[in-house]
Amino acid sequence: MARRLDSPGRVALERLPWTDAARIDEAVERFARTGEGDFYRLPEDDAVTLRLRVGSYRVRLTRDVRERVLRIWWVYRA
């Protein structure tokens, strides 16, 4: 599955220290390839929205199964 970093996600990732950004990138890549990762969905999230835990950060993303694309919307510290 490919991944696409949309504008808010790109800005959030660029503002992080490079070591944290690299760790988040690695976790998202692993999730895209294998589906492995510490992810969850909140009750108010729609059916395609996921939140991936990476240390103290959360990555909010959507999964488009038909296009086989993950879209990263936000990266924030929990």
Side-chain angles (χ1 to χ4, degrees), residues 12-27 54-57 75 77:
L13 199 58
E14 289 173 352
R15 290 183 179 170
L16 298 177
W18 72 268
T19 53
D20 293 341
R23 193 166 37 118
I24 290 167
D25 185 57
E26 181 182 329
V54 183
S56 62
Y57 292 97
V75 178
R77 189 181 292 257

Side-chain angles (χ1 to χ4, degrees), residues 6-63:
D6 287 324
S7 185
R10 180 184 318 276
V11 170
L13 199 58
E14 289 173 352
R15 290 183 179 170
L16 298 177
W18 72 268
T19 53
D20 293 341
R23 193 166 37 118
I24 290 167
D25 185 57
E26 181 182 329
V28 171
E29 285 288 335
R30 183 177 55 247
F31 181 72
R33 281 192 319 272
T34 66
E36 294 177 2
D38 186 7
F39 63 92
Y40 63 101
R41 184 176 288 130
L42 293 178
E44 63 268 12
D45 289 342
D46 56 18
V48 296
T49 299
L50 298 169
R51 296 166 195 253
L52 182 65
R53 290 184 187 103
V54 183
S56 62
Y57 292 97
R58 302 298 179 263
V59 181
R60 189 167 181 195
L61 51 92
T62 55
R63 181 170 34 182

